[in-house]
Amino acid sequence: GSLGLRFVGVAAAGAVLFGGIGGLVALIAGRDRKAMIPFGPYMAAGAVVASFWGEGIADWYLRSFTGTGL
């Protein structure tokens, strides 16, 4: 969050995306749907993506879906 609000949004979206992929992989591997999957590693992965590529991803998103770029 110290880098800016745009980075927080990218990190959150990345965490949700990585968590969804991780859940699908767990289901394919045979885990039960009720099995607990820790979300912390996916949040960390989203933060890493945001710290390296957050500015570009946020600009792309704003240009593509809102029509504005900052």
Side-chain angles (χ1 to χ4, degrees):
S2 64
L3 296 175
L5 190 57
R6 305 168 104 197
F7 292 92
V8 174
V10 171
V16 169
L17 180 67
F18 291 139
I21 292 169
L24 286 175
V25 169
L27 285 174
I28 291 170
R31 277 184 101 170
D32 186 27
R33 285 186 57 201
K34 303 273 183 182
M36 300 279 289
I37 299 173
F39 193 60
Y42 302 117
M43 289 173 39
V48 168
V49 167
S51 66
F52 286 114
W53 301 289
E55 190 72 31
I57 293 171
D59 283 339
W60 168 80
Y61 180 83
L62 289 173
R63 276 193 319 269
S64 298
F65 296 107
T66 65
T68 62
L70 298 174

